[in-house]
Amino acid sequence: MPRGRRGGRVSAWEGGLEEEAPQAAAAVPPALWASQLQPEAAGQILLRGIFEIGRSSCDVVLSERALRWWPITPERPAGDSKYDILHKEEFIEVKDIFSVKLKRRYSAKQQGSGTLLGITLFICLKKEQNKLKDSMLDLINLSEDHCDVWFKQFKKILAGSTNVLAHSLHGIPHVVTATLHIIMGHIQPVDVCTFSTTGKLLRFGFSAMFGFGGRTLALAEKHRWMSPNQRRDFAVIKALAKLKPEDCEISFLPFMSSQDLQGRKVEGSPKSECNDRWQTIQGQILNISIMAIPCLCSVAPRGLAPNTRLNNGSMALIIARNTSRPEFIKHLKRYASVKNQFNFPFVETYTVEEVKIRPRTNSTPSLEENEWQATASENSFPWNVDGDLVEVASEVHVKLHPRLINLYGGSMEEMIPKL
């Protein structure tokens, strides 16, 4: 196990160059990251190994929710009252890690990728008076194989838990780009949807899926002990194995552009004519997607709704009717390719302003048929709203509110290719 010379490295929390530093160089106070984290709250253990942290060899444990470590020390000295204070467990929560890289030393004479020193974690820490501080934690280990395993696990954890809103706003999942948009004050108005049922507001949001998308999320929520990518892949495979359509009635109000609205005003069309524009679809549906933004993500680089924009006043309604499992899988695979994912006879797309989804299934599926029912309330249906599981027992009304909020981001017109 590599051991650094005393005073030979800037604090592990502050990072810095591999050069002599004064002994007084202080680390970020432990109070900023160490508190009472119960072992059961940390989740399932993913990796365990030995790293040097702050000049001490430590036993390090990575779980799905936290990174914990404590110094490797000999048997507790008798009568040492400071032992518990100096050697207690410390931790950071995984959600506070925003980036990771391999730490290397480079020299002018050296060629190649440099000498591996370990792994550097970039972390957001909470300070006093609601202040946030960016910091670094160095996990020192000279083993290429050991660090490679840990580095890949950190990258897996940090990856596509996809934030489709940020990805759609910036066109790329890049922290520096997002930060520069904020610094430069680039403001983008964004359309927002309201989701309601029986006249009661459920929440605001940008996208939703019902059917296959809702069931997949419900299954993933049952297996939160897995890493995000693992439980996503598991849930998709499980949902495909038990693929089953829902009997639905879908009513929607087609999108009317500003030019169309102006033409109707000139013609003197009555407001009541809006009710006549509603259209209804019924039948066996495998999946329904309602997107007010393009929803760019790692599994759909062009977006789940590539023809939608952030603020054009419309939503994409994508309906996948009942079909064979192989054909539905082909449709899903198209999202990751350059081919048109909607070019299937069972897929229908509409540009709309409002949507009402009413499941017509009266009986609750058995546990064997739908494992998601074990996590859902009785007689309710799972919805995936912006990646959150929402259970609703009756009709859901989705209405678009154009340019309702302003967010930091750039124009997407040149970033998303049209089909």
Side-chain angles (χ1 to χ4, degrees), residues 289-353:
S289 297
I290 305 168
M291 309 287 179
I293 60 175
C295 294
L296 277 71
C297 59
S298 59
V299 297
R302 297 186 304 114
L304 297 174
N307 290 329
T308 304
R309 294 297 178 263
L310 295 171
N311 49 31
N312 63 353
S314 67
M315 300 182 291
L317 172 62
I318 305 165
I319 301 171
R321 291 183 179 269
N322 192 23
T323 187
S324 66
R325 185 181 292 108
E327 285 298 302
F328 187 67
I329 292 175
K330 288 181 183 178
H331 163 61
L332 296 180
K333 286 183 175 180
R334 286 277 185 93
Y335 280 97
S337 72
V338 296
K339 295 181 179 180
N340 186 349
Q341 62 263 44
F342 309 129
N343 190 23
F344 291 91
F346 58 90
V347 178
E348 303 173 16
T349 61
Y350 302 90
T351 304
V352 301
E353 298 174 6

Side-chain angles (χ1 to χ4, degrees), residues 3 16 36 51 65 72 79 107 157 159 174 215 236 249 256 276 281 327 332 342 353 371 376 380 384:
R3 296 299 301 270
Q36 298 299 319
F51 289 93
R65 295 192 180 95
I72 299 174
S107 63
I157 291 173
H174 190 239
R215 286 201 190 94
V236 168
E249 180 179 284
M256 182 173 288
D276 298 333
I281 295 174
E327 285 298 302
L332 296 180
F342 309 129
E353 298 174 6
E371 190 176 345
S380 67
N384 182 339

Side-chain angles (χ1 to χ4, degrees), residues 59-276:
D59 189 3
V60 184
V61 174
L62 174 63
S63 66
E64 62 175 358
R65 295 192 180 95
L67 178 72
R68 300 179 289 133
W69 69 92
W70 51 90
I72 299 174
T73 59
E75 189 175 340
R76 173 175 178 171
D80 188 351
S81 60
K82 296 182 180 180
Y83 181 88
D84 289 337
I85 296 177
L86 296 176
H87 299 90
K88 70 178 182 179
E89 175 185 306
E90 300 176 71
F91 80 95
I92 55 173
E93 294 187 68
V94 169
K95 65 181 179 63
D96 293 329
I97 303 173
F98 59 85
S99 188
V100 61
K101 75 171 185 178
L102 291 173
K103 184 178 181 68
R104 297 184 182 275
R105 179 192 287 123
Y106 299 90
S107 63
K109 298 180 180 180
Q110 188 178 19
Q111 295 181 350
S113 58
T115 302
L116 178 70
L117 300 176
I119 298 173
T120 298
L121 301 177
F122 297 87
I123 303 158
C124 178
L125 296 176
K126 295 179 181 178
K127 296 186 69 177
E128 71 283 352
Q129 298 178 348
N130 298 321
K131 292 181 180 179
L132 297 178
K133 176 181 176 64
D134 65 302
S135 188
M136 294 184 290
L137 175 65
D138 289 335
L139 307 177
I140 304 302
N141 190 304
L142 303 186
S143 170
E144 291 273 1
D145 293 338
H146 185 70
C147 288
D148 184 62
V149 172
W150 282 73
F151 178 74
K152 288 180 178 178
Q153 185 64 52
F154 279 118
K155 293 292 286 185
K156 183 184 296 185
I157 291 173
L158 292 174
S161 199
T162 57
N163 188 335
V164 297
L165 176 59
H167 199 156
S168 297
L169 278 168
H170 309 132
I172 185 173
H174 190 239
V175 174
V176 175
T177 298
T179 304
L180 287 174
H181 278 309
I182 296 173
I183 293 174
M184 299 302 294
H186 297 160
I187 300 296
Q188 184 73 255
V190 181
D191 297 341
V192 182
C193 301
T194 51
F195 298 84
S196 57
T197 181
T198 61
K200 178 183 177 182
L201 176 66
L202 293 173
R203 60 177 291 163
F204 290 88
F206 302 92
S207 64
M209 286 186 284
F210 176 80
F212 176 79
R215 286 201 190 94
T216 300
L217 180 60
L219 280 168
E221 288 298 305
K222 282 190 61 181
H223 299 83
R224 292 200 64 84
W225 52 271
M226 296 181 179
S227 68
N229 285 344
Q230 285 178 325
R231 65 173 177 262
R232 181 196 65 195
D233 294 343
F234 170 82
V236 168
I237 294 173
K238 193 79 171 178
L240 284 173
K242 298 181 178 295
L243 190 63
K244 176 179 177 294
E246 293 287 353
D247 187 12
C248 296
E249 180 179 284
I250 307 167
S251 301
F252 60 90
L253 187 64
F255 171 66
M256 182 173 288
S257 65
S258 57
Q259 292 87 349
D260 294 335
L261 288 173
Q262 187 63 31
R264 285 181 174 270
K265 288 181 180 179
V266 173
E267 295 172 2
S269 301
K271 293 183 178 180
S272 59
E273 195 172 294
C274 177
N275 294 328
D276 298 333

Side-chain angles (χ1 to χ4, degrees), residues 365-382:
S366 65
L367 184 62
E368 293 75 15
E369 291 178 333
N370 284 308
E371 190 176 345
W372 65 263
Q373 196 66 36
T375 60
S377 302
E378 187 175 359
N379 295 324
S380 67
F381 296 87

